[in-house]
């Protein structure tokens, strides 16, 4: 059975990482909620992708310089849609902390996978991981089961940075950790892993070594999950099949096209991260339905 993970919420419908996007994802029947976490100036674990404010708010500058209260004073949703249903939260409640997302998932009162991506480089270093674990522990997180308290919410962690996963490893079972990878050129990889750095041969070597280290953690079993992009899967289908055959958890991102979904399911991938959880589930079901079933 295919599992559909809402990428930053139902982020095709509402602005990514907002309360509205996650409320919609749950209403759409998403099996999981994916989020990126970073620290604010006052140490709150907040849901935000970029290191800067520019793309997803009406402000500019570095995210880590603002407090949670200052973030909540920004407009973080109207760039996607100017109107919010009353059921999806007020304008000043759209910026979410990890704690608040956990509460939303628990309140759904059904099985939900909470997928937490640790964003690096972080000006706070691995204090990000420590704060993230503290938030989850406050919700009764049990490392062995992955559950939040007595709920049906299970938590897993992922990162493009092996050091993040290694920092988590003493506290988190390997099967709840996932290494992320994309299919990028040398210059794209350097820009992605170390923004602002020139793609010199030395910088490329460091970036490629970082990816190789992450792949080694997966190969050794220290990290149980593997999170490739659609592009990586298209470039390495035999590797995808091999990892699936080994029983590894593969969670592929970002899958919004039903053709991509069909390819991935055909390779054995069971978890798809998507901006459109309801629409992709419906489209994939229709595409894979036997001809006589439609009669």
């Amino acid at each position: 059975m295919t599992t559909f993970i809402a990428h930053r919420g139902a982020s095709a419908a509402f602005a990514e990482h907002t309360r509205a996007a996650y409320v919609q994802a749950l209403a759409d029947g998403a099996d999981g909620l994916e989020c990126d976490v970073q620290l604010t100036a006052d140490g709150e674990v907040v849901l935000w992708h970029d290191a800067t404010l520019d793309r997803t708010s009406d402000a500019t500058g570095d995210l880590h310089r603002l407090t949670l209260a200052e973030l909540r004073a920004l407009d973080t949703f109207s760039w996607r849609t100017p109107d919010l249903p009353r059921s999806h939260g007020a304008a000043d409640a759209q910026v979410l902390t990890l704690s608040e997302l956990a509460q939303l998932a628990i309140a759904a009162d059904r099985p939900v996978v909470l997928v937490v991506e640790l964003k690096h480089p972080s000006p706070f270093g691995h204090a990000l991981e420590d704060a993230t674990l503290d938030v989850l522990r406050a919700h009764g997180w049990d490392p062995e089961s992955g559950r939040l308290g007595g709920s049906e919410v299970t938590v897993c962690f992922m990162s493009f940075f092996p050091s993040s996963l290694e920092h988590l490893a003493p506290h988190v079972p390997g099967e709840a950790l996932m290494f992320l990878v994309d299919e990028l050129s040398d210059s794209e990889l350097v820009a992605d892993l170390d923004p602002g750095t020139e793609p010199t041969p030395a910088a490329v070597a460091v970036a490629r070594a970082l990816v190789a280290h992450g792949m080694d953690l997966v190969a050794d079993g220290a990290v149980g999950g593997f999170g490739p992009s659609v592009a990586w899967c298209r470039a390495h289908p035999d590797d995808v099949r091999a990892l699936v055959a080994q029983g590894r958890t593969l969670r592929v991102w970002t899958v919004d096209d039903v053709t991509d979904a069909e390819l991935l399911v055909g390779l054995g991938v069971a978890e798809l991260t998507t901006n459109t959880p309801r629409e992709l589930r419906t489209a994939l079901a229709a595409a894979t339905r036997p001809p006589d079933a439609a009669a």
Side-chain angles (χ1 to χ4, degrees), residues 62-82:
D62 296 328
L63 167 70
H64 73 270
R65 298 185 186 280
L66 270 64
T67 65
L68 178 61
E70 289 169 332
L71 282 175
R72 285 188 163 149
L74 305 180
D75 176 358
T76 59
F77 66 89
S78 64
W79 62 271
R80 172 65 71 185
T81 177

Side-chain angles (χ1 to χ4, degrees), residues 33-108:
L33 306 174
E34 185 268 351
C35 65
D36 304 293
V37 295
Q38 302 196 54
L39 286 178
T40 62
D42 52 343
E44 294 286 347
V45 182
V46 70
L47 312 189
W48 203 278
H49 180 273
D50 298 359
T52 60
L53 308 167
D54 305 51
R55 183 176 63 85
T56 56
S57 83
D58 60 345
T60 61
D62 296 328
L63 167 70
H64 73 270
R65 298 185 186 280
L66 270 64
T67 65
L68 178 61
E70 289 169 332
L71 282 175
R72 285 188 163 149
L74 305 180
D75 176 358
T76 59
F77 66 89
S78 64
W79 62 271
R80 172 65 71 185
T81 177
D83 300 312
L84 295 172
R86 186 170 299 178
S87 59
H88 288 42
D92 61 358
Q94 292 305 308
V95 173
L96 285 181
T97 63
L98 178 60
S99 180
E100 290 166 333
L101 181 61
Q103 292 168 16
L104 281 176
I106 291 168

